[in-house]
Amino acid sequence: MTADPAFVTTTRTFYDAIAEDYHARFRTVLDDAPLDRALMGAFAELVGPEGQVADLGCGPGLVTAHLASLGLRVFGLDLSSSMLAIARRENPGLRFEQGSMLELDLPDGALAGAVSWYSSIHTPWERLPDLFGEVRRVLAPGGHLLLGFQVGDEPNHHNRPWGHPVALDFERRRPEPMAELLEQVGFTVLSRTVRFTEETTLAQVPQAFLIARR
Ligand SMILES: C[S@@+](CC[C@H](N)C(=O)[O-])C[C@H]1O[C@@H](n2cnc3c(N)ncnc32)[C@H](O)[C@@H]1O
């Protein structure tokens, strides 16, 4: 195992500090997001109930729990021990593990599905081929990836959220180059969706969702 790059350490420190406030703010966000749930439903149908699915960068486990409710055999993985403590507390029947998406402790082809729901947004663009290459490695041929991220060209810099003495960039990206990048590392992109801002959700910019197959 190699040492974590600085951006991973910064990301872990940030989420360890804000985990409880993040959870309090976002715990019901899926209730008001029918389009997001529809995409998760499509992903669940594509994957099916047999194979193992990983929610990579699961945070408090909201998406992990939703995918489990759709019948998927899903576990969560995250960098942040504080996020994982909440995920385990809120979802006692589900499995959550600590680790980095850049270096997964899984054999080649182990997964039928992988989700990265706003968790690639702290990885610099030049490291995304490594990240998605690692996700591709652990997916079985025909396995599916569901990816969510904010749309834009400039990062959103969060400084001292909820008064905690931490800061982090939330990268915004265009769906087209993200889709091209996935194709370059060996995925076939099946769908590219942009959801524009809805009053009922907390999103302030359009949100992009890609579904790809290995
Ligand atoms: C914006 S939060 C999203 C959490 C969750 N997916 C959700 O939608 O509620 C980003 C999460 O990704 C995790 N994360 C970021 N980079 C990661 C990496 N390289 N490996 C594992 N987790 C990572 C963070 O620790 C954080 O919990």
Side-chain angles (χ1 to χ4, degrees), residues 136 143-145 179 182-183 186-191 211-214:
R136 184 185 181 279
H144 289 85
L145 167 66
L182 289 180
E183 297 269 353
F187 284 96
T188 300
V189 175
L190 304 182
S191 98
I211 297 179
R213 187 174 57 219
R214 191 210 142 155

Side-chain angles (χ1 to χ4, degrees), residues 37-94:
R37 284 187 275 115
L39 284 163
M40 290 177 200
F43 171 78
E45 283 192 45
L46 287 164
V47 171
E50 304 297 332
Q52 186 77 65
V53 176
D55 179 11
L56 302 171
C58 61
L62 203 61
V63 172
T64 327
H66 187 65
L67 295 175
S69 80
L70 298 177
L72 294 187
R73 288 180 50 215
V74 60
F75 71 95
L77 176 135
D78 205 281
L79 289 175
S80 159
S81 52
S82 302
M83 284 293 208
L84 290 166
I86 297 168
R88 292 179 182 125
R89 181 186 78 207
E90 299 292 318
N91 307 283
L94 297 178

Side-chain angles (χ1 to χ4, degrees), residues 8 11 15 22 55-60 62-63 77-80 83 99-102 117-119 121-123 131 170:
V8 168
T11 302
Y15 281 103
Y22 180 98
D55 179 11
L56 302 171
C58 61
L62 203 61
V63 172
L77 176 135
D78 205 281
L79 289 175
S80 159
M83 284 293 208
S100 172
M101 297 163 69
L102 285 148
W117 198 254
Y118 300 94
S119 59
I121 61 175
H122 307 301
T123 299
L131 188 151
F170 285 51

